[in-house]
Structure formats: C-alpha cells, structure tokens
C-alpha cells in the first residue's frame, strides 16, 4: 500500500472566512461553493475555528463566524502522512 501525505490529497484553493464574517455571508459561501464547511482565519491568517453548515442552523443572519464556529480547529501539516483507510 502506497503511503500518501496530506499535501497530495488536500484542496489547493480553500474558501475561508474571518471572525467578523456575518452568518448570512457564511451561508452564501457554503452554498455558492457547494461545500459543507470552511475555516475561520484570524488577522495573521491562522486557522482559529471551523464553520460547518450545521453551525448556522437556527442562527440569525447578523451573528458572526466568531459566534458560531467550532474551536479550536484541528489542523495538520501538509507533510504529515495520511492514515490508511480501515475496513
């Protein structure tokens, strides 16, 4: 079995949000790009959280990514190995 690294399987162009991005815009980004979630970046472009479609359910359009994101975000380096599939 060939070992792969994260950089070989990850998405190159990532749709992202900022802490202050309104929930309405988050929903539009998810719909427009047909994705289930997106990272939330701070002013240094570090991932501080993740917003998934489910995080927006029942939320008012004026709340922000900082208010709905899951945190802390778990990230990996592109050089890390991808775990083999089980089963």
């Amino acid at each position: 079995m060939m070992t792969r690294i994260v950089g070989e399987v990850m998405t190159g162009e990532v749709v992202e949000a900022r802490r202050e991005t309104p929930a309405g815009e988050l929903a539009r980004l998810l719909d427009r790009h047909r994705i289930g979630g997106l990272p939330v970046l701070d002013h240094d472009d570090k991932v501080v959280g993740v917003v998934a479609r489910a995080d927006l359910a029942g939320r008012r359009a004026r709340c922000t990514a900082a208010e709905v994101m899951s945190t802390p975000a778990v990230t990996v380096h592109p050089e890390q190995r991808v775990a083999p599939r089980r089963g």
Side-chain angles (χ1 to χ4, degrees):
M1 174 183 275
M2 186 171 91
T3 302
R4 301 192 72 179
I5 61 170
V6 171
E8 295 173 330
V9 298
M10 67 186 209
T11 301
E13 293 183 31
V14 178
V15 179
E16 63 202 36
R18 299 290 173 168
R19 291 177 190 245
E20 62 275 4
T21 305
E25 178 62 15
L26 296 170
R28 283 189 288 282
L29 287 169
L30 293 170
D31 288 342
R32 183 180 318 133
H33 297 281
R34 297 180 180 176
I35 54 178
L38 46 95
V40 179
L41 308 181
D42 68 7
H43 61 280
D44 291 325
D45 291 336
K46 292 188 178 158
V47 179
V48 294
V50 177
V51 173
R53 191 173 302 279
D55 295 326
L56 299 174
R59 298 293 184 140
R60 54 187 169 74
R62 291 178 40 187
C63 63
T64 64
E67 295 171 291
V68 300
M69 69 183 181
S70 298
T71 188
V74 177
T75 62
V76 295
H77 191 277
E79 296 300 317
Q80 286 185 281
R81 288 187 189 154
V82 175
R85 288 186 185 194
R86 296 183 187 256

